[in-house]
């Protein structure tokens, strides 16, 4: 199914059949008008469509058919009409970027049939029209497998997201409980109460001690109290300043 599919549908207008006349510069095969090298001003004698399949990789974008319009000689004006959708495109040879139309497939309608109308006209002569019919080379089995695979991928991504969310919540809970235990332990050893510093940590307020610096003290203040400040800024500011850092 992954291979490239192509077929050619051609139509020739008998009344305008191109032969190797003096108006023709040369023909590789006189029996095939499209091999003739023609001069300008000749009418279109043949129009065909080359359809090729391009397979996608997802349920929503399973692939498309590329329909190329080929005329003999090269037409000055070409149109493409897709009856199912009413899409109508037209080109003037000097203005177009490509004479290829893409027709997308849908897994909602595997093996869908497409019926398109092509027309071409040279600088002179009548308009040549032909119909092209083709099916999307897309199987219901491939679509079902693609849909199942993509649903499984989405489910796995959702499970990963939920697992990451639960892990984040668990980590935050653990950190919060550890912080609460630390604050409780700190508060239980503080004889003068506690406060929350600028970093959000709970520390002991300056306290007195007759037996020397208490455990955790960081500075001795002028009034004889000991500070537990975690930064130098503002330490012992209400107690006469710092006598010494511990």
């Amino acid at each position: 199914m992954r291979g490239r599919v192509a077929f050619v549908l051609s139509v020739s207008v008998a009344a305008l059949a191109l032969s190797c006349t003096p108006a023709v510069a040369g023909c590789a095969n006189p029996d095939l008008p499209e091999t003739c090298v023609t001069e300008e001003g000749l009418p279109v004698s043949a129009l065909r469509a080359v359809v090729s399949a391009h397979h996608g990789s997802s349920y929503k974008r399973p692939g498309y058919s590329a329909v190329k319009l080929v005329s003999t000689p090269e037409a000055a004006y070409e149109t493409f009409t897709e009856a199912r959708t009413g899409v109508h495109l037209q080109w003037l040879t000097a203005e177009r970027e490509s004479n290829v139309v893409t027709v997308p497939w849908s897994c909602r309608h595997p093996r869908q049939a497409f019926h398109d109308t092509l027309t071409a006209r040279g600088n002179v002569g009548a308009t040549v029209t032909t119909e092209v019919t083709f099916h999307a080379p897309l199987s219901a089995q491939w679509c079902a497998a693609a849909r199942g695979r993509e649903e499984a991928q989405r489910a796995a991504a959702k499970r990963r997201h939920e697992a990451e969310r639960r892990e984040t919540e668990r980590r935050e809970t653990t950190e919060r409980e550890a912080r609460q235990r630390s604050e409780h332990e700190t508060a239980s050893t503080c004889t003068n109460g506690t406060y929350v510093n600028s970093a959000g940590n709970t520390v002991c307020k300056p306290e007195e001690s007759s037996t020397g610096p208490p455990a955790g003290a960081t500075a001795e203040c002028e009034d004889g109290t000991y500070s537990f400040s975690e930064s130098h800024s503002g330490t012992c500011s209400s107690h006469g300043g710092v006598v010494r850092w511990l």
Side-chain angles (χ1 to χ4, degrees):
M1 175 179 174
R2 290 285 176 180
R4 186 180 179 86
V5 181
F7 67 87
V8 176
L9 177 65
S10 63
V11 62
S12 298
V13 179
L16 301 176
L18 181 65
S19 61
C20 294
T21 65
V24 178
C27 292
N29 186 343
D31 296 328
L32 298 175
E34 57 265 36
T35 67
C36 298
V37 180
T38 62
E39 297 178 354
E40 293 183 359
L42 291 176
V44 173
S45 62
L47 175 63
R48 57 180 178 148
V50 178
V51 182
S52 57
H54 300 264
H55 294 275
S57 59
S58 70
Y59 179 83
K60 290 186 176 181
R61 294 181 177 83
Y64 64 92
S65 292
V67 183
K68 181 178 182 180
L69 287 69
V70 181
S71 60
T72 304
E74 183 177 2
Y77 175 81
E78 294 177 344
T79 68
F80 170 90
T81 303
E82 212 292 293
R84 180 180 59 88
T85 61
V87 172
H88 180 79
L89 302 174
Q90 65 182 37
W91 305 269
L92 295 177
T93 302
E95 298 176 355
R96 74 185 181 207
E97 295 182 358
S98 172
N99 60 340
V100 176
V101 180
T102 58
V103 180
W105 309 335
S106 172
C107 273
R108 294 182 179 181
H109 307 285
R111 295 293 299 169
Q112 180 177 2
F114 297 93
H115 307 281
D116 306 321
T117 302
L118 316 177
T119 63
R121 186 178 70 244
N123 291 318
V124 297
T127 298
V128 178
T129 301
T130 187
E131 305 289 330
V132 57
T133 299
F134 58 94
H135 288 82
L138 187 64
S139 71
Q141 291 80 1
W142 185 92
C143 287
R147 185 171 186 174
R149 180 173 60 252
E150 291 163 24
E151 288 178 348
Q153 291 171 348
R154 285 193 294 270
K158 184 177 180 179
R159 288 194 297 270
R160 287 195 300 271
H161 176 74
E162 287 297 318
E164 291 171 357
R165 183 185 61 79
R166 289 193 297 270
E167 175 59 22
T168 298
E169 291 179 349
R170 185 198 64 77
R171 184 172 60 253
E172 291 176 348
T173 299
T174 300
E175 292 174 353
R176 183 172 61 254
E177 291 175 348
R179 186 166 57 252
Q180 290 173 346
R181 285 195 301 270
S182 176
E183 292 174 353
H184 177 74
E185 292 170 357
T186 298
S188 65
T189 60
C190 298
T191 62
N192 195 33
T194 62
Y195 71 97
V196 178
N197 64 13
S198 59
N201 298 325
T202 300
V203 296
C204 296
K205 291 181 178 180
E207 58 186 52
E208 297 179 353
S209 175
S210 59
T211 58
T218 58
E220 182 181 357
C221 301
E222 185 67 33
D223 63 0
T225 60
Y226 292 91
S227 173
F228 299 84
S229 175
E230 295 181 338
S231 65
H232 284 197
S233 177
T235 301
C236 295
S237 59
S238 299
H239 298 270
V242 176
V243 174
R244 62 183 177 126
W245 295 99
L246 302 176

